[in-house]
Amino acid sequence: MANKSVYNLVIVGYGGMGSYHGQLIEKVPALEVTGVYDIVDYRMELAGQHGYHAYESMEAVLSDKNVDIVLIATPNDVHKELSIQALRAGKHVICEKPVTINSADLLDIVKVAEETGQTFTVHQNRRWDEDFLIIRDMFEKRAVGDVFHVESRVQGANGIPGDWRQLKAYGGGMLLDWGVHLLDQLLLLTDSKIESVHAQLSTILDTEVDDGFTTTIRFKDGLTAVVEVGTTNYVKLPRWYVKGTEGTAIIQDWDLSGEIVTRNTEVEKVEPKPIQAGRGLTKTMAPPSEESTIRKSIEPIQNPPEEFYVNFLSVIEGSAQSAVPNEQVHRVLVLIETIFEAAEKDAVIHKEF
């Protein structure tokens, strides 16, 4: 496909994420949403109200030679089938996360993409979340020294959405829904391989899928991580908590509230004074003195990476590498499978990958 001034894109699956993609793509001059296909009639009517052409079938989408890109935002269980159909029809493909319910299915899609020469990528959009970019910058710049422990959480009290996300056959559950984001972010923070995984799935809401999970992951370089998703939390824990050899950082939420507290190397260590703690005294748990620490607020990230859709178009035109390499997506899926295994066996899974 020769480079074009504008690429035509069709959204397959016009639910919450499909319509959200439409809003985002409107801001990209070189992309135009020219149509929508969904098996639900009222969503097709809604697409028409938004000015999009409503295709009568998936076959109609794939046979339209004017369509350059197919964006798949359907329930998870049909991602593989639709992606392969679109690739074989000569379309580039953007697929919503989780790209597939298991890691082997992704490899099947990638094989077809290689055979057809088409571009296939996954919309791991939370690689662009500012809170994550700030944490990654802390790692790279050693803002709290060498990081040896990180905690990443997303919590709420609204339960699982009352749709296909509650059904196992469709790839529902919070590990596949939100976990895929947090685990993807975590694996971008270190080059080290994973050494072991332990996990517990939450089933408080009595659905057939997990309504949350907690996993502890140890990397070969010594970094430990706790990743947690909850849908029954009326009081939330911080979004990020990071411990390093020279300090600690916390980001409370997506509003970027939080702080970085580091050791002040310009003053000698001040012996802490004992404090009254409940019915006893403690010096070990006393806070460090003000003069021995430096406190900084969380600052917005400078020079954020190239936006997802812009990068995707650059990949199509051969001028850039994908911001979401398929091999990284595959590793996240392998980690998710390992978490399921660890939870089922209630055991620490020792596995290097």
Side-chain angles (χ1 to χ4, degrees):
M1 180 186 295
N3 293 356
K4 303 173 64 174
S5 57
V6 177
Y7 291 85
N8 297 326
L9 180 147
V10 170
I11 299 173
V12 177
Y14 199 63
M17 280 307 302
S19 58
Y20 183 60
H21 276 287
Q23 298 172 32
L24 295 177
I25 291 170
E26 287 178 359
K27 303 173 185 178
V28 184
L31 267 180
E32 182 176 353
V33 178
T34 54
V36 166
Y37 172 64
D38 198 299
I39 61 174
V40 180
D41 290 340
Y42 83 84
R43 289 179 181 165
M44 295 288 278
E45 295 172 2
L46 184 62
Q49 294 172 14
H50 290 164
Y52 300 139
H53 170 68
Y55 284 87
E56 61 183 16
S57 66
M58 187 65 183
E59 290 73 20
V61 174
L62 301 181
S63 63
D64 188 345
K65 295 183 179 179
N66 292 318
V67 176
D68 304 306
I69 303 165
V70 172
L71 190 153
I72 298 170
T74 63
N76 304 329
D77 61 312
V78 293
H79 285 177
K80 176 183 176 180
E81 174 188 354
L82 295 176
S83 295
I84 289 177
Q85 288 179 6
L87 290 167
R88 286 181 172 158
K91 315 301 183 187
H92 300 294
V93 176
I94 298 171
C95 187
E96 258 303 321
K97 63 78 207 171
V99 57
T100 50
I101 299 175
N102 62 71
S103 60
D105 282 350
L106 172 58
L107 296 181
D108 291 340
I109 298 173
V110 172
K111 182 179 179 181
V112 174
E114 292 171 348
E115 291 172 352
T116 60
Q118 301 303 115
T119 299
F120 175 82
T121 197
V122 182
H123 186 237
Q124 286 288 171
N125 57 307
R126 293 195 177 276
R127 291 184 174 210
W128 283 263
D129 281 3
E130 190 166 15
D131 59 285
F132 162 67
L133 294 175
I134 290 170
I135 294 296
R136 188 172 69 173
D137 192 60
M138 286 184 194
F139 269 70
E140 293 174 350
K141 294 182 178 178
R142 301 182 68 255
V144 292
D146 294 323
V147 176
F148 58 85
H149 183 72
V150 59
E151 299 180 13
S152 171
R153 292 181 173 87
V154 170
Q155 297 174 326
N158 298 314
I160 307 175
D163 55 12
W164 58 266
R165 289 173 178 82
Q166 294 190 6
L167 303 174
K168 187 174 182 179
Y170 290 89
M174 287 297 103
L175 180 52
L176 282 167
D177 188 29
W178 262 102
V180 69
H181 284 308
L182 303 194
L183 298 168
D184 181 61
Q185 291 177 340
L186 173 65
L187 295 185
L188 294 173
L189 295 177
T190 176
D191 294 329
S192 178
K193 289 187 175 182
I194 290 171
E195 183 177 85
S196 66
V197 177
H198 184 259
Q200 292 179 315
L201 301 184
S202 170
T203 54
I204 301 300
L205 301 178
D206 196 29
T207 58
E208 62 181 55
V209 295
D210 65 286
D211 55 55
F213 70 91
T214 302
T215 183
T216 301
I217 301 167
R218 179 177 293 276
F219 293 84
K220 290 191 72 65
D221 65 357
L223 174 69
T224 57
V226 173
V227 179
E228 184 175 359
V229 172
T231 56
T232 57
N233 302 71
Y234 286 86
V235 178
K236 299 190 296 184
L237 292 172
R239 173 69 186 87
W240 293 96
Y241 183 72
V242 178
K243 294 171 66 177
T245 54
E246 299 295 328
T248 303
I250 188 169
I251 297 181
Q252 294 288 355
D253 214 332
W254 288 295
D255 63 1
L256 306 185
S257 57
E259 65 176 342
I260 302 173
V261 181
T262 55
R263 183 170 64 89
N264 187 351
T265 58
E266 296 183 358
V267 300
E268 292 187 13
K269 185 176 180 180
V270 178
E271 187 73 15
K273 297 179 180 180
I275 60 169
Q276 184 75 35
R279 293 287 182 172
L281 293 176
T282 178
K283 184 166 64 174
T284 303
M285 299 304 167
S289 63
E290 290 187 13
E291 61 267 29
S292 64
T293 57
I294 299 173
R295 293 180 178 271
K296 297 180 181 178
S297 59
I298 301 297
E299 297 293 336
I301 195 70
Q302 301 296 319
N303 303 315
E306 185 179 54
E307 200 270 337
F308 173 83
Y309 302 103
V310 175
N311 171 257
F312 181 76
L313 292 176
S314 297
V315 174
I316 287 176
E317 296 179 348
S319 60
Q321 298 294 314
S322 175
V324 189
N326 290 319
E327 56 269 25
Q328 292 181 357
V329 178
H330 181 261
R331 188 180 182 215
V332 173
L333 290 176
V334 172
L335 176 54
I336 287 174
E337 291 169 339
T338 307
I339 290 171
F340 276 126
E341 179 186 359
E344 182 180 359
K345 295 180 178 179
D346 190 20
V348 177
I349 304 298
H350 294 276
K351 183 178 179 180
E352 183 177 321
F353 62 98

